[in-house]
Amino acid sequence: RALNSNVSGDMSNIIRWLLLAPSIAVAWFTGIAAGLAIYSIKENMCPPQYVVSGTCFAPWSESIDCGAAAIGSTIAAFLIVLLPSLLAPRHKKIVANFLFLAGMVFASYLATKAKFSPFELSAFVGAAIGGLVGIAIVHRRLAKSPLTSHSRGDGVPPRP
């Protein structure tokens, strides 16, 4: 009986680790969908005199595009840090910190590739804010967990 519970616990942990990659994809596409939704609203609400070949060129159009990039990247970065950290069976803080750092490296690469255009800069700042909020929530959640005082510090009690 004890052997069975350990095997099922190990399988559960393996499944949770394997679900990290799909959770990152879900987070990424949620952020993209949010940004595209804002962009679509802008395009649909654009006054006809500013529409050229189906694209809005209103004076405020670039500001809305930058806002959409910032909001989308904030949501994506927040969820990319938070969701896998919640799913990880152990080392939740390490998962959150690693994903934040990897995300910042990726966002920095994209921003420098675009020569820090206003659009890319707003996406970079949004990603930094979203990732930092995600880390703060993970760290605060684990600090409040009653398990952390008796565990390895990641909210999971040690195995017997």
Side-chain angles (χ1 to χ4, degrees):
R1 203 187 254 289
L3 180 61
N4 252 353
S5 67
N6 268 350
V7 171
S8 66
D10 288 343
M11 186 56 73
S12 170
N13 287 340
I14 291 169
I15 291 170
R16 288 176 67 184
W17 282 119
L18 291 174
L19 286 174
L20 295 190
S23 74
I24 292 169
V26 166
W28 177 271
F29 286 113
T30 301
I32 290 174
L36 288 176
I38 294 167
Y39 177 80
S40 177
I41 291 169
K42 176 209 66 159
E43 290 292 318
N44 289 328
M45 296 185 78
C46 188
Q49 67 268 26
Y50 293 116
V51 176
V52 177
S53 298
T55 302
C56 183
F57 289 99
W60 42 263
S61 182
E62 185 178 358
S63 298
I64 300 293
D65 291 345
C66 289
I71 291 169
S73 66
T74 301
I75 291 169
F78 172 73
L79 293 175
I80 285 170
V81 169
L82 185 66
L83 293 180
S85 300
L86 294 175
L87 279 172
R90 290 185 192 78
H91 310 295
K92 294 172 182 294
K93 287 182 183 179
I94 293 171
V95 169
N97 294 341
F98 173 78
L99 289 171
F100 173 72
L101 289 174
M104 289 313 304
V105 167
F106 182 64
S108 298
Y109 169 75
L110 292 178
T112 56
K113 204 75 166 144
K115 297 183 176 40
F116 286 99
S117 71
F119 181 82
E120 290 297 333
L121 191 57
S122 63
F124 177 82
V125 171
I129 291 169
L132 286 172
V133 171
I135 281 181
I137 288 172
V138 169
H139 283 249
R140 181 179 297 176
R141 183 176 175 267
L142 292 175
K144 290 182 179 180
S145 172
L147 296 174
T148 56
S149 61
H150 305 293
S151 70
R152 298 179 307 271
D154 61 0
V156 178
R159 284 193 170 161

